[in-house]
Amino acid sequence: MPDGATGALRYRDLADPNAYLASLREASLPPAELEQLDDATLVREGLMLGLRTARGVELDALRARTGLDARAGRERALRRAVARGDVIDEPDRWVIPASRWLFADDIIARLF
């Protein structure tokens, strides 16, 4: 496993419907593509998905899954997001206020 890899995999099934159905008939459905996800990627995805929810992203849970601190390297972007009212920075959680949800993609991209 590469450095920083967690054992988490992302896979994509066969894109061709005929090949997919043929594979089902043969009772073997191998993924068309496998990607090993490293811890940094899992942190970014955890932020991307968690910040799109009303509960936000739980930083301690993300650290427990990845071994990485989501704040590291994002301090400046976080300070700006908080100052603009884009993110609420709680001790163990980042939340995008409901009034800023329409801007979530931009906010998350700045923290990515």
Side-chain angles (χ1 to χ4, degrees), residues 14-55:
L14 299 168
D16 175 22
N18 291 323
Y20 184 86
L21 291 172
S23 184
L24 282 177
R25 282 190 293 272
E26 295 170 10
S28 71
L29 189 59
E33 184 178 308
L34 286 176
E35 177 185 358
Q36 185 79 43
L37 302 178
D38 63 16
D39 294 326
T41 300
L42 291 174
V43 168
R44 287 190 302 273
E45 290 192 356
L47 292 174
M48 177 186 63
L49 296 171
L51 286 170
R52 282 184 167 79
T53 67
R55 289 186 48 102

Side-chain angles (χ1 to χ4, degrees), residues 68-81:
L68 297 177
D69 180 3
R71 293 178 184 277
R74 294 179 174 85
E75 296 88 355
R76 185 175 176 189
L78 178 64
R79 278 194 306 273
R80 287 181 177 172

Side-chain angles (χ1 to χ4, degrees), residues 76-90 94:
R76 185 175 176 189
L78 178 64
R79 278 194 306 273
R80 287 181 177 172
V82 169
R84 284 192 304 262
D86 291 341
V87 173
I88 298 168
D89 182 15
E90 298 176 354
W94 291 345

